[in-house]
Amino acid sequence: MKPLNSLLSGLPTTIFTVMSALAVRHDAINLGQGFPDTEGPADLIEAAAAALRDGRNQYPPLTGVPELREAVARANARFYDLAIDPAREVIVTSGATEALAASLMALLDPGDEVVVLEPLYDTYVPMIRALGAIPRPVRLTPPHWSLPRAELEAAFGPRTKAILLNSPMNPTGKVFNRDELAVIADLVARHDAYAICDEVYEHLTFGARHIPLMTLPDMRERCLRIGSAGKSFSLTGWKVGYITAPATLAGCVAKAHQLLTFTTAPNLQRAVAMGLDKETDYFATLASDMRAKRDLLSEGLRGVGFDILPCDGSYFVVADIRPTGFAGDDVAFCRAMTERCRVTAIPVSAFYSTEDAPGHLVRFAFCKREEVLAEAVARLRAGLPDLLGA
């Protein structure tokens, strides 16, 4: 038989699938997957249920129901002082992953280059390659994940079409500051490029301020800003994303969206619109509650022997395993920790597309109930001596 698509058939089973299966096999607490273990706001769930019963269950508009597009525009104005036309500059997608795919499809031709920052979300590079484009990775430097400016400048060139920027960042928890964003903005403008800005954790920052690249001078017409109801309302299974982009870009993104999914469940869209109009206190409480969970897990991990890297946002904290004295790499450690301690995390090397990735860092998700995080720490305290003595 003729071969399947060479890119997709060559992709290995993701580390998330591997580690989750191992977690089930050993009845482990799974701190590998980044989703909350509690439900989101009850009023949004009730609104979504009610919206199923009011006779509006056929295809909604391609770009999203007016209520949600208008709510996205209001949220841009409220949080970032961005004036957005809801009719021409907002596209609703079936999750942020589809938003990424549609944005890349709208911008890239075969042979174009896209600058990406490592470590990175694992779908970025396969998406870019599937479109015939070329990723140009630039590594951030731990423990503070500083931006290597000379290397970043060297990655931009005549064929650069875009940079893919994730802030707050998965897996590092980094929130890019204004000085770093200014460096990126200068390169984008200088090379006549675009920026696809994955900002799904925009409301989950801890002391650091999230600044959309779109708000910087001359960036309004070059940026596509991606948000996620799943992350903002702890409803990851809803898969409702939204792209804010200038009309010249949004029109082409809409064509890509039409080819991918065409539309998104209208009842969920209308419930998310209500969520985006929640009082600012809701978003502040969401961040403060998640910060408390970050602190609980981080302190517990330090107490059992890990070094903890800075985390200013997202669902994740990165731990350095070297102080434990473990002899193997991050993959071996995560396997052993699942088997011996019944706690699962993700090796950070899985977030690199290039060789010689750091082999001493693991990512823990703290978006879980506090009692689950406390039990995970207790299991590590009891099981790590056996693991390290093996």
Side-chain angles (χ1 to χ4, degrees):
M1 297 177 68
K2 290 183 178 179
L4 304 177
N5 176 272
S6 58
L7 174 68
L8 297 179
S9 62
L11 289 177
T13 302
T14 72
I15 192 67
F16 306 99
T17 300
V18 171
M19 295 309 302
S20 292
L22 197 63
V24 171
R25 191 179 315 147
H26 293 277
D27 192 26
I29 293 174
N30 191 347
L31 301 185
Q33 289 189 294
F35 59 84
D37 60 357
T38 56
E39 286 293 281
D43 56 346
L44 266 69
I45 294 169
E46 288 301 317
L52 283 171
R53 295 188 288 265
D54 69 357
R56 293 175 60 187
N57 290 298
Q58 306 308 322
Y59 290 131
L62 163 68
T63 54
V65 299
E67 298 99 314
L68 180 50
R69 286 184 278 121
E70 290 163 5
V72 170
R74 286 192 296 272
N76 272 290
R78 172 162 55 137
F79 292 107
Y80 309 118
D81 199 28
L82 284 168
I84 302 298
D85 180 349
R88 301 171 63 241
E89 296 185 316
V90 177
I91 309 293
V92 178
T93 60
S94 293
T97 303
E98 195 236 319
L100 286 164
S103 297
L104 289 165
M105 285 177 66
L107 294 181
L108 299 181
D109 284 316
D112 286 342
E113 295 181 357
V114 182
V115 177
V116 294
L117 303 177
E118 289 187 326
L120 42 67
Y121 184 53
D122 66 331
T123 64
Y124 291 172
V125 166
M127 282 184 180
I128 291 166
R129 288 179 173 154
L131 294 167
I134 302 165
R136 293 296 184 204
V138 175
R139 288 192 178 184
L140 304 186
T141 307
H144 296 284
W145 304 109
S146 54
L147 187 68
R149 301 187 180 191
E151 290 90 336
L152 181 66
E153 184 167 3
F156 277 77
R159 297 169 68 183
T160 302
K161 180 66 73 72
I163 183 172
L164 212 169
L165 175 66
N166 179 205
S167 182
M169 191 180 193
N170 173 14
T172 66
K174 177 183 176 64
V175 179
F176 286 79
N177 63 39
R178 184 171 288 277
D179 287 345
E180 292 170 320
L181 294 172
V183 170
I184 294 169
D186 174 67
L187 289 167
V188 168
R190 202 190 318 163
H191 291 272
D192 190 23
Y194 301 98
I196 300 171
C197 303
D198 179 351
E199 301 179 20
V200 297
Y201 296 104
E202 61 183 319
H203 295 301
L204 290 165
T205 59
F206 319 124
R209 181 186 170 206
H210 171 59
I211 304 171
L213 185 68
M214 184 179 272
T215 63
L216 269 64
D218 302 320
M219 286 295 103
R220 175 70 170 79
E221 298 304 312
R222 294 188 179 275
C223 291
L224 301 96
R225 198 175 87 77
I226 296 170
S228 165
K231 302 303 190 295
S232 295
F233 303 109
S234 303
L235 294 164
T236 57
W238 281 20
K239 297 298 292 179
V240 179
Y242 23 86
I243 304 169
T244 302
T248 51
L249 300 183
C252 198
V253 172
K255 294 176 182 178
H257 171 56
Q258 182 175 11
L259 297 176
L260 289 167
T261 64
F262 175 67
T263 190
T264 300
N267 67 310
L268 300 182
Q269 289 192 53
R270 289 157 62 198
V272 171
M274 186 181 84
L276 286 174
D277 283 334
K278 279 183 171 292
E279 295 293 331
T280 304
D281 283 351
Y282 163 80
F283 298 96
T285 299
L286 176 73
S288 64
D289 288 351
M290 203 64 71
R291 181 176 190 164
K293 294 179 179 183
R294 177 204 65 174
D295 293 345
L296 173 64
L297 182 60
S298 297
E299 289 166 12
L301 292 173
R302 286 192 191 95
V304 298
F306 295 95
D307 277 347
I308 303 302
L309 279 64
C311 165
D312 293 325
S314 82
Y315 282 163
F316 309 107
V317 65
V318 173
D320 188 335
I321 66 174
R322 289 176 296 184
T324 69
F326 183 75
D329 64 11
D330 56 344
V331 176
F333 184 87
C334 286
R335 286 183 174 276
M337 184 170 63
T338 300
E339 295 166 354
R340 301 293 187 91
C341 304
R342 294 190 300 124
V343 176
T344 298
I346 298 294
V348 171
S349 59
F351 297 92
Y352 287 78
S353 63
T354 50
E355 295 182 353
D356 300 319
H360 60 279
L361 302 173
V362 298
R363 188 197 78 171
F364 292 87
F366 53 77
C367 51
K368 311 295 180 181
R369 287 171 288 130
E370 291 187 358
E371 58 267 32
V372 172
L373 299 175
E375 173 61 18
V377 171
R379 290 186 183 187
L380 290 170
R381 185 175 294 112
L384 276 175
D386 175 58
L387 183 160
L388 297 173

